[in-house]
Coordinates of all heavy atoms in Angstrom, one line a residue:
K782 N -9.0 10.0 -17.1 CA -10.1 9.1 -16.9 C -9.6 7.7 -16.6 O -10.2 6.7 -16.9 CB -10.9 9.0 -18.3 CG -11.6 10.3 -18.6 CD -12.3 10.2 -19.9 CE -13.0 11.5 -20.3 NZ -13.7 11.5 -21.6
I783 N -8.5 7.6 -15.9 CA -7.9 6.3 -15.6 C -8.8 5.5 -14.6 O -8.7 4.3 -14.6 CB -6.5 6.6 -15.0 CG1 -5.7 5.3 -15.1 CG2 -6.5 7.0 -13.5 CD1 -4.2 5.4 -14.9
Y784 N -9.6 6.2 -13.8 CA -10.5 5.5 -12.9 C -11.5 4.7 -13.7 O -11.8 3.5 -13.3 CB -11.2 6.5 -12.0 CG -12.2 5.8 -11.1 CD1 -11.7 5.2 -9.9 CD2 -13.5 5.7 -11.3 CE1 -12.6 4.5 -9.0 CE2 -14.4 5.1 -10.5 CZ -13.9 4.5 -9.3 OH -14.8 3.8 -8.5
L785 N -11.9 5.2 -14.8 CA -12.9 4.5 -15.7 C -12.2 3.4 -16.5 O -12.8 2.3 -16.7 CB -13.6 5.5 -16.6 CG -14.4 6.6 -16.0 CD1 -14.9 7.5 -17.1 CD2 -15.6 6.0 -15.2
N786 N -11.0 3.6 -16.9 CA -10.4 2.7 -17.8 C -9.5 1.6 -17.1 O -9.2 0.6 -17.6 CB -9.5 3.4 -18.8 CG -10.3 4.4 -19.7 OD1 -11.4 4.1 -20.0 ND2 -9.8 5.6 -20.0
C787 N -9.1 2.0 -15.9 CA -8.2 1.0 -15.1 C -8.4 1.3 -13.6 O -7.6 2.0 -13.0 CB -6.7 1.2 -15.5 SG -5.6 0.0 -14.8
R788 N -9.5 0.8 -13.1 CA -9.8 1.1 -11.7 C -8.8 0.6 -10.7 O -8.5 1.3 -9.8 CB -11.2 0.4 -11.4 CG -11.7 0.8 -10.1 CD -13.2 0.4 -9.9 NE -13.7 0.7 -8.6 CZ -14.9 0.6 -8.2 NH1 -15.8 0.1 -9.1 NH2 -15.3 1.0 -7.0
D789 N -8.2 -0.6 -10.9 CA -7.2 -1.1 -10.0 C -6.0 -0.2 -9.9 O -5.5 0.1 -8.8 CB -6.8 -2.5 -10.4 CG -7.9 -3.5 -10.2 OD1 -8.8 -3.3 -9.5 OD2 -7.8 -4.6 -10.8
L790 N -5.6 0.3 -11.0 CA -4.4 1.2 -11.0 C -4.8 2.6 -10.4 O -4.0 3.1 -9.6 CB -3.9 1.5 -12.5 CG -2.7 2.4 -12.6 CD1 -1.5 1.9 -11.8 CD2 -2.3 2.5 -14.1
S791 N -6.0 3.0 -10.7 CA -6.5 4.3 -10.1 C -6.5 4.2 -8.6 O -6.1 5.1 -7.9 CB -7.9 4.6 -10.6 OG -8.4 5.7 -10.0
E792 N -7.0 3.1 -8.0 CA -7.0 2.9 -6.6 C -5.6 2.9 -6.0 O -5.4 3.4 -4.9 CB -7.8 1.7 -6.3 CG -9.3 1.8 -6.6 CD -10.1 0.6 -6.3 OE1 -9.5 -0.5 -6.1 OE2 -11.3 0.6 -6.4
L793 N -4.7 2.2 -6.7 CA -3.4 2.1 -6.2 C -2.7 3.5 -6.2 O -1.9 3.8 -5.3 CB -2.6 1.2 -7.1 CG -1.3 0.5 -6.5 CD1 -1.7 -0.2 -5.2 CD2 -0.7 -0.5 -7.5
I794 N -3.0 4.3 -7.3 CA -2.4 5.7 -7.3 C -2.9 6.5 -6.2 O -2.2 7.2 -5.5 CB -2.8 6.3 -8.7 CG1 -2.0 5.7 -9.8 CG2 -2.5 7.8 -8.6 CD1 -2.5 6.2 -11.2
Q795 N -4.2 6.4 -5.9 CA -4.8 7.2 -4.8 C -4.3 6.8 -3.5 O -4.0 7.6 -2.6 CB -6.4 7.0 -4.8 CG -7.1 7.9 -3.8 CD -6.9 9.4 -4.1 OE1 -7.1 9.8 -5.2 NE2 -6.4 10.1 -3.1
K796 N -4.0 5.5 -3.3 CA -3.4 5.0 -2.0 C -2.0 5.6 -1.9 O -1.6 6.0 -0.8 CB -3.3 3.5 -2.0 CG -2.8 2.9 -0.7 CD -2.7 1.4 -0.8 CE -2.2 0.8 0.5 NZ -0.9 1.3 0.9
E797 N -1.2 5.6 -3.0 CA 0.1 6.2 -2.9 C 0.1 7.6 -2.5 O 0.9 8.1 -1.7 CB 0.8 6.0 -4.2 CG 2.3 6.4 -4.2 CD 3.0 6.2 -5.5 OE1 2.5 5.5 -6.4 OE2 4.2 6.7 -5.6
I798 N -0.9 8.4 -3.1 CA -1.0 9.8 -2.8 C -1.4 10.0 -1.3 O -0.9 10.9 -0.7 CB -2.1 10.4 -3.7 CG1 -1.6 10.5 -5.2 CG2 -2.4 11.8 -3.3 CD1 -2.6 10.9 -6.2
N799 N -2.3 9.2 -0.9 CA -2.8 9.3 0.5 C -1.6 9.0 1.5 O -1.5 9.7 2.5 CB -3.9 8.3 0.8 CG -5.2 8.7 0.1 OD1 -5.3 9.9 -0.3 ND2 -6.1 7.8 -0.1
D800 N -0.8 8.0 1.1 CA 0.3 7.6 2.0 C 1.3 8.8 2.0 O 1.9 9.1 3.1 CB 1.0 6.4 1.5 CG 0.2 5.1 1.7 OD1 -0.8 5.2 2.5 OD2 0.4 4.1 1.0
Q801 N 1.6 9.4 0.9 CA 2.5 10.5 0.8 C 2.0 11.7 1.6 O 2.7 12.4 2.4 CB 2.7 10.9 -0.6 CG 3.5 9.9 -1.4 CD 3.7 10.3 -2.9 OE1 3.0 11.2 -3.4 NE2 4.6 9.7 -3.6
N802 N 0.7 12.0 1.4 CA 0.1 13.2 2.1 C 0.0 13.0 3.6 O -0.1 14.0 4.4 CB -1.3 13.4 1.5 CG -1.3 14.0 0.1 OD1 -0.2 14.5 -0.3 ND2 -2.4 14.0 -0.6
S803 N 0.0 11.7 4.1 CA -0.1 11.5 5.5 C 1.1 12.0 6.3 O 1.0 12.3 7.5 CB -0.3 10.0 5.8 OG 0.8 9.3 5.4
N804 N 2.2 12.2 5.5 CA 3.4 12.7 6.2 C 3.7 14.1 5.9 O 4.7 14.7 6.2 CB 4.6 11.8 5.6 CG 4.5 10.4 6.0 OD1 4.1 10.1 7.1 ND2 4.9 9.5 5.1
K805 N 2.7 14.8 5.3 CA 2.8 16.2 4.9 C 1.9 17.1 5.8 O 0.8 16.6 6.2 CB 2.5 16.4 3.4 CG 3.4 15.7 2.5 CD 3.0 16.0 1.0 CE 3.9 15.3 0.0 NZ 3.4 15.5 -1.4
L806 N 2.3 18.3 5.9 CA 1.4 19.3 6.5 C 0.7 20.0 5.4 O 1.3 20.7 4.6 CB 2.3 20.3 7.4 CG 3.0 19.7 8.6 CD1 3.9 20.7 9.2 CD2 2.0 19.2 9.6
L807 N -0.6 19.8 5.4 CA -1.4 20.4 4.3 C -2.5 21.3 4.9 O -3.1 20.9 5.9 CB -2.0 19.3 3.4 CG -1.1 18.4 2.7 CD1 -1.8 17.3 2.0 CD2 -0.2 19.1 1.7

């Protein structure tokens, strides 16, 4: 529930995941 409790951190985590996935074949 980190999105509810710490939205800024949640958005930063999602950005990091998106950046990682952009270099992956999924």
Side-chain angles (χ1 to χ4, degrees):
K782 297 180 180 178
I783 201 167
Y784 180 79
L785 299 175
N786 299 322
C787 187
R788 184 169 182 173
D789 290 343
L790 180 58
S791 173
E792 291 177 350
L793 203 57
I794 291 172
Q795 189 58 54
K796 182 181 183 303
E797 184 177 352
I798 292 173
N799 292 340
D800 289 344
Q801 291 176 344
N802 288 342
S803 65
N804 298 320
K805 295 178 180 179
L806 294 174
L807 301 174

